[in-house]
Amino acid sequence: MRVAIGGLVVLSVAAAPLAADPIHLSDAIGRQVVLPRSPRRIVTIFSSNTELVAALGLADRIVGIDAFTRFPPDIASKPVVGGRLGFSVDAVVAQMPDLVLVTPARQAAHQLVAPMERLGVPVLVLTSRSVEEVLGNIRLVGRATGEDERGKQLADALASRLSRVTTSVSNRVCPRLVLITGRLGNGLLLTARPGTYTADALARAGGCPALAGRGDLAQVSPEALLASDPDVLLLAGRPDELRELKARSGFRSMRAVREGRAYVVPRAEFLIPGPRTVDGIERLASLLHPPVEGGP
């Protein structure tokens, strides 16, 4: 399907020179998208897409965000176009965007893609099923915004950092770990699922899954987690939450807790698929594989 834009008000913003030729793109779900010119008013649905645009130095082009976006800090003052209850087509259109970046989570793509197409507003759908796909998104958003070289340079720089991590953890013993990402009211725990960029990030940091063989289930009982007896326990949350978890019956005798290998990791680095994930991978790799005395 081909999407084009016309008739929208375009405001002048301070930015690098914008490309004059139409920009032809293919998004994550195979849609062919045509932008008549480099977008100057971008609505970013979900934190990850906001962070991609901001990492390219284009935060001034963002005119709308979702209610859960918190980074970069000065982005929080942007108009909100949706949140927990869904996304408002009217709220998006009110920002007069010439590009909407959306991820198919919480029905966002279902709610916005077709209406935006009918209104002639280009929509680019991004997915982040692996760290490599995150780097691809950076390059794609670079092309979409007329900043091809900037996107390529950023993605290549991140790829180089990842390559150094790969070298540093190679030939090291791979500790069996679990990353807890949340807790449910029924007592079940949410953990990093196989086949996700979070699981990919953990593997790139030199960790091996302790809960292998569970398919793509994210929910696990405390009993199943305890039975896996991981070498390393990670919690995407706050230190006080980890202290509470470690104090529970059963967790005190877990190998990871007994041996002092239970850690908090920043949620933003492992649950928001953006450039900061590379920071998290580097940090976790150092934690899992501290330098060996006399080693390289």
Side-chain angles (χ1 to χ4, degrees):
M1 107 188 35
R2 183 171 294 272
V3 183
I5 182 174
L8 291 181
V9 176
V10 178
L11 300 183
S12 175
V13 297
L18 301 175
D21 296 330
I23 300 170
H24 297 257
L25 305 164
S26 177
D27 73 6
I29 57 175
R31 299 167 58 251
Q32 300 303 305
V33 181
V34 178
L35 286 74
R37 63 190 67 83
S38 299
R40 301 182 183 190
R41 298 181 62 80
I42 306 172
V43 168
T44 53
I45 304 297
F46 296 128
S47 303
S48 56
N49 296 329
T50 301
E51 293 197 19
L52 291 183
V53 175
L56 292 170
L58 304 174
D60 59 338
R61 296 195 201 179
I62 297 174
V63 296
I65 59 174
D66 78 285
F68 299 103
T69 295
R70 299 287 184 272
F71 187 86
D74 57 358
I75 213 78
S77 61
K78 302 283 186 178
V80 172
V81 299
R84 189 179 302 279
L85 299 180
F87 299 90
S88 165
V89 173
D90 290 341
V92 173
V93 171
Q95 305 311 317
M96 298 179 292
D98 47 12
L99 177 63
V100 177
L101 294 179
V102 64
T103 297
R106 297 206 304 268
Q107 299 297 311
H110 175 72
Q111 293 173 0
L112 293 177
V113 171
M116 290 297 118
E117 287 178 343
R118 287 195 292 272
L119 293 168
V121 179
V123 180
L124 201 57
V125 180
L126 305 179
T127 55
S128 304
R129 294 161 294 197
S130 68
V131 175
E132 189 61 38
E133 200 164 54
V134 173
L135 300 187
N137 288 340
I138 294 172
R139 297 185 181 95
L140 180 61
V141 173
R143 291 197 298 275
T145 54
E147 299 291 349
D148 304 47
E149 189 58 29
R150 195 182 299 187
K152 182 177 182 304
Q153 288 180 2
L154 175 59
D156 288 351
L158 294 172
S160 293
R161 290 168 57 188
L162 290 170
S163 179
R164 286 194 290 272
V165 172
T166 299
T167 300
S168 72
V169 303
S170 63
N171 300 319
R172 302 289 296 270
V173 175
C174 189
R176 298 167 55 256
L177 58 77
V178 171
L179 170 60
I180 298 175
T181 61
R183 287 178 285 182
L184 300 177
N186 59 7
L188 295 178
L189 300 168
L190 296 175
T191 61
R193 289 183 295 116
T196 63
Y197 98 96
T198 300
D200 186 21
L202 298 175
R204 285 173 179 266
C208 287
L211 287 165
R214 294 175 42 253
D216 60 356
L217 292 177
Q219 300 179 12
V220 61
S221 67
E223 292 77 15
L225 191 150
L226 291 171
S228 72
D229 200 22
D231 302 316
V232 176
L233 178 66
L234 304 174
L235 173 70
R238 303 189 308 269
D240 64 297
E241 294 173 322
L242 180 61
R243 285 194 296 272
E244 186 275 329
L245 190 67
K246 291 192 299 183
R248 289 186 183 185
S249 175
F251 281 79
R252 290 191 292 270
S253 58
M254 177 187 291
R255 178 196 308 272
V257 174
R258 288 199 322 270
E259 298 181 355
R261 303 193 76 187
Y263 310 105
V264 166
V265 296
R267 294 180 64 84
E269 294 179 352
F270 287 93
L271 303 185
I272 298 177
R276 288 193 289 173
T277 296
V278 176
D279 298 339
I281 291 171
E282 290 175 328
R283 202 187 321 275
L284 181 58
S286 297
L287 201 60
L288 299 178
H289 304 285
V292 178
E293 187 175 351

